[in-house]
Amino acid sequence: MMVVSTYIGIYYNVVICIAFYYFFSSMTNVLPWAYCNNPWNTPDCAGVLDASNLTNSSRPATLPRNFTHLLNHTLQRTSPSEEYWRLYVLKLSSDVGNFGEVRLPLLGCLGVSWVVVFLCLIRGVKSSGKVVYFTATFPYVVLTILFVRGVTLEGAFTGIMYYLTPQWDKILEAKVWGDAASQIFYSLGCAWGGLITMASYNKFHNNCYRDSVIISITNCATSVYAGFVIFSILGFMANHLGVDVSRVADHGPGLAFVAYPEALTLLPISPLWSLLFFFMLILLGLGTQFCLLETLVTAIVDEVGNEWILQKKTYVTLAVAVAGFLLGIPLTSQAGIYWLLLMDNYAASFSLVVISCIMCVSIMYIYGHRNYFEDIQMMLGFPPPLFFQICWRFVSPAIIFRLKNATKPSRDWGPALLEHRTGRYAPTTAPSPEDGFEVQPLHPDKAQIPIVGSNGSSRLQDSRI
């Protein structure tokens, strides 16, 4: 958990710093990624607000039919938001090994991000707890504002239907279920260590059962609600371009910093909506980063445990913040996004599922489920509900049984020659053809061994497996 939280804490603040960069860039009359008339744009740039391909017009115009046709059939088309992201913000290098230069604007925003995180955690959970009241609730206000604006746009219903319509052909793909498991573990914070860290500050008899149910339901409901916000505006963008919603939908950084910002350029007073959107991203990111940093600091302080470090916890927080800033500098280089995605894909995806399974198995079968149930009853005043007991006692053993079979050697494992199969490798019954033993002589003059087949006939096999 500590390793995962460390990895995530390093690159997650880089994502926040990019959101800060876009937030500051939105403080203008015209968003810089709205048109293709900027020095960094290429001849392949085609903006949804440009009157024609490769136009240098600086004012919005109606999208003609021939341009829509061009957008649908030109493979070389790149949006101004994509070129702004790749060629201006990141100045993306050719490959992961070509670091290039450090992007000073991103480095400055990274410093701002870490300063904000440190100041909010300067007094530990006493200060972060008050800040979280704002960072956790205000995004709902922004989501509601964007939702109301989004559903009133033309084409929003198409985007929402695309969001709600299941793709049944994907349901048997292992990657889909793997992504779903990683997402729910990621969003709930399971196996990060943050839940254990924050719970350690609760009162002993705090109703953690009630809290876990509320958080789980609220988390999933928020994800569904945010989907309506995102796809209503993506549907509007697809309608504006005359293309399918799947053509404008993206994932990862491409959604947050390319597709959605481009959709925002189509709205009246687009800088205002852009400011709200990226302010929401910053608040959401800071809330997560608070938890990650507090996890690392608490683990260090608890591990050392002497009086000096307990009194100097602020210095530990400062040291962790400085270390995180220094380790994040390579991620602000021209190849930084490659490393960020690499860390994101491998540090905090399926590893969370593995850690959670190991934690569940350890508690149920090493610490003991009876001890665990008694501990819960001592704290809550009632035993765990039957549903959880069934999951912990019967679902987990099923996982264990699969692991045991996966780690047992096959029946034919052992010395290759039958004459060497002694001791624990000695066959308890006479080998049969079904066992897969094919006995051959190691030397031509070695005696052959008669083997009786299942039908009563005898044949000669040599002694090599």
Side-chain angles (χ1 to χ4, degrees):
M1 290 181 181
M2 286 292 297
V3 172
V4 169
S5 294
T6 301
Y7 278 136
I8 298 174
I10 293 171
Y11 77 79
Y12 205 84
N13 231 17
V14 178
V15 178
I16 299 175
C17 91
I18 298 175
F20 266 114
Y21 185 88
Y22 271 79
F23 178 78
F24 296 141
S25 300
S26 301
M27 297 178 180
T28 179
N29 292 329
V30 178
L31 293 175
W33 57 85
Y35 298 101
C36 292
N37 58 350
N38 302 288
W40 59 83
N41 290 127
T42 66
D44 294 329
C45 180
V48 295
L49 293 178
D50 291 318
S52 60
N53 195 26
L54 308 180
T55 183
N56 288 326
S57 173
S58 60
R59 60 181 181 178
T62 304
L63 195 66
R65 293 182 179 273
N66 60 342
F67 184 52
T68 302
H69 182 269
L70 182 66
L71 289 178
N72 290 335
H73 295 86
T74 302
L75 296 178
Q76 292 183 342
R77 185 259 179 185
T78 56
S79 65
S81 62
E82 182 180 355
E83 293 197 348
Y84 179 78
W85 163 250
R86 293 175 58 251
L87 303 179
Y88 185 75
V89 177
L90 301 179
K91 288 191 177 180
L92 197 63
S93 64
S94 57
D95 58 69
V96 68
N98 182 15
F99 278 89
E101 63 180 12
V102 172
R103 297 286 294 120
L104 294 181
L106 293 182
L107 183 62
C109 290
L110 181 63
V112 171
S113 301
W114 277 111
V115 168
V116 171
V117 171
F118 169 70
L119 292 178
C120 292
L121 290 177
I122 195 169
R123 296 185 59 196
V125 293
K126 293 182 180 179
S127 56
S128 64
K130 297 175 182 177
V131 176
V132 166
Y133 280 118
F134 177 73
T135 60
T137 56
F138 188 75
Y140 285 99
V141 177
V142 179
L143 276 176
T144 303
I145 294 173
L146 293 174
F147 173 76
V148 173
R149 185 67 185 105
V151 295
T152 58
L153 297 171
E154 185 179 1
F157 181 75
T158 304
I160 292 174
M161 289 307 299
Y162 176 83
Y163 168 57
L164 296 178
T165 303
Q167 298 182 19
W168 298 111
D169 57 317
K170 304 283 187 181
I171 200 167
L172 295 179
E173 295 183 10
K175 184 179 183 302
V176 173
W177 292 100
D179 291 342
S182 299
Q183 169 61 27
I184 199 66
F185 277 82
Y186 199 99
S187 60
L188 280 176
C190 300
W192 289 35
L195 293 178
I196 299 175
T197 301
M198 296 303 176
S200 67
Y201 292 100
N202 279 334
K203 296 179 179 179
F204 184 79
H205 295 291
N206 179 68
N207 193 340
C208 56
Y209 166 68
R210 177 200 60 201
D211 294 345
S212 63
V213 172
I214 293 175
I215 290 173
S216 300
I217 295 175
T218 304
N219 172 76
C220 294
T222 301
S223 299
V224 173
Y225 185 42
F228 282 96
V229 176
I230 298 295
F231 280 90
S232 62
I233 294 185
L234 291 182
F236 165 68
M237 181 180 177
N239 178 75
H240 190 86
L241 292 174
V243 299
D244 190 72
V245 179
S246 60
R247 296 282 302 276
V248 298
D250 205 339
H251 64 279
L255 176 62
F257 300 114
V258 177
Y260 206 82
E262 184 176 16
L264 293 176
T265 62
L266 303 175
L267 300 177
I269 324 177
S270 55
L272 173 63
W273 303 111
S274 182
L275 285 170
L276 285 174
F277 175 71
F278 288 109
F279 186 55
M280 178 186 68
L281 286 187
I282 291 170
L283 293 181
L284 292 173
L286 288 175
T288 301
Q289 192 67 15
F290 293 159
C291 187
L292 289 171
L293 191 63
E294 185 63 34
T295 298
L296 298 176
V297 172
T298 301
I300 294 172
V301 172
D302 289 352
E303 184 67 22
V304 177
N306 57 41
E307 192 65 27
W308 181 88
I309 200 169
L310 291 174
Q311 295 178 351
K312 305 296 183 181
K313 187 177 179 180
T314 301
Y315 294 102
V316 179
T317 305
L318 177 62
V320 173
V322 171
F325 170 75
L326 295 176
L327 291 172
I329 291 178
L331 302 182
T332 62
S333 66
Q334 291 179 258
I337 193 66
Y338 297 126
W339 291 95
L340 189 150
L341 293 175
L342 189 68
M343 295 173 71
D344 182 54
N345 289 333
Y346 290 97
S349 55
F350 197 70
S351 59
L352 298 175
V353 181
V354 174
I355 294 173
S356 297
C357 288
I358 293 174
M359 179 173 63
C360 183
V361 168
S362 301
I363 294 175
M364 290 294 105
Y365 299 99
I366 298 178
Y367 181 71
H369 69 274
R370 295 185 184 277
N371 294 332
Y372 186 61
F373 294 163
E374 290 175 1
D375 291 343
I376 292 178
Q377 185 168 4
M378 178 175 58
M379 290 187 294
L380 301 182
F382 57 89
L386 182 62
F387 170 77
F388 291 102
Q389 294 191 30
I390 292 174
C391 289
W392 293 335
R393 296 186 62 184
F394 298 105
V395 177
S396 296
I399 297 174
I400 291 293
F401 180 78
R402 288 198 297 272
L403 289 175
K404 282 185 176 179
N405 281 279
T407 55
K408 285 174 60 177
S410 59
R411 293 178 60 191
D412 58 353
W413 168 251
L417 297 180
L418 189 60
E419 64 182 275
H420 296 152
R421 298 181 72 89
T422 60
R424 64 191 180 97
Y425 294 108
T428 55
T429 58
S432 64
E434 288 77 8
D435 293 330
F437 294 111
E438 184 182 349
V439 185
Q440 300 175 355
L442 184 61
H443 302 289
D445 58 347
K446 189 173 291 291
Q448 293 182 313
I449 304 171
I451 302 295
V452 179
S454 58
N455 58 358
S457 61
S458 64
R459 60 191 179 89
L460 296 178
Q461 291 185 343
D462 58 37
S463 58
R464 184 164 184 250
I465 297 175

